[in-house]
Amino acid sequence: MTAVVFNPTTFKLRYPEFAAVANDLLALFFDEATLYMDNSDTSIAQDIPRRTTLLNMLTAHVTALSGATAADGQPKPVGRIASAGEGSVSVSLEYMTPGTMAWFVQTQYGAAFWQATSSLRGFRYFPNPTTW
């Protein structure tokens, strides 16, 4: 069985903005990312380096949505700003359903993942083999 093994050092090299996030927490986010993209022999992304890149993009997305990167250690608001005010400051956030396009495009990492996987989301037809 060929599966991508999460490497926090490589991940942080590509995504230095997550350098302060603990490796164990990143590993949990990677595990969560595999809920959205199969990491087994039956994955639609058969090329391991490509699957690694895609899963790292998805891990970055899940990490960003978690708010784990806030500099002050406090969770940051997550979601699309649905409305905002100015006097007496008011902000309304909208969190999208996980796995949908709207959920992916909430972060730059998810949007990149969504675009990079566009060729994998199409209909695939495999005709029955014919025997003579």
Side-chain angles (χ1 to χ4, degrees):
M1 178 178 194
T2 306
V4 172
V5 177
F6 182 66
N7 182 331
T9 304
T10 303
F11 178 81
K12 289 179 178 182
L13 182 65
R14 170 59 184 90
Y15 300 102
E17 59 270 38
F18 300 121
V21 181
N23 291 349
D24 290 345
L25 184 56
L26 287 174
L28 291 173
F29 291 142
F30 177 84
D31 289 343
E32 187 175 336
T34 65
L35 295 173
Y36 301 103
M37 182 173 185
D38 185 16
N39 186 22
S40 71
D41 287 337
T42 59
S43 175
I44 197 159
Q46 288 290 302
D47 181 64
I48 296 300
R50 181 177 184 192
R51 190 184 323 153
T52 300
T53 300
L54 292 171
L55 282 169
N56 281 340
M57 293 166 97
L58 198 46
T59 301
H61 175 66
V62 171
T63 303
L65 286 179
S66 77
T69 59
D72 59 3
Q74 297 297 314
K76 61 182 179 180
V78 174
R80 184 183 73 82
I81 296 176
S83 65
E86 191 173 324
S88 295
V89 185
S90 174
V91 175
S92 173
L93 299 171
E94 181 179 30
Y95 184 72
M96 305 302 177
T97 304
T100 63
M101 182 184 99
W103 180 76
F104 283 107
V105 299
Q106 289 182 102
T107 69
Q108 64 187 13
Y109 318 105
F113 174 85
W114 186 260
Q115 184 60 38
T117 58
S118 64
S119 65
L120 303 177
R121 289 190 309 275
F123 175 78
R124 294 176 185 266
Y125 173 73
F126 298 99
N128 264 342
T130 58
T131 57
W132 296 93

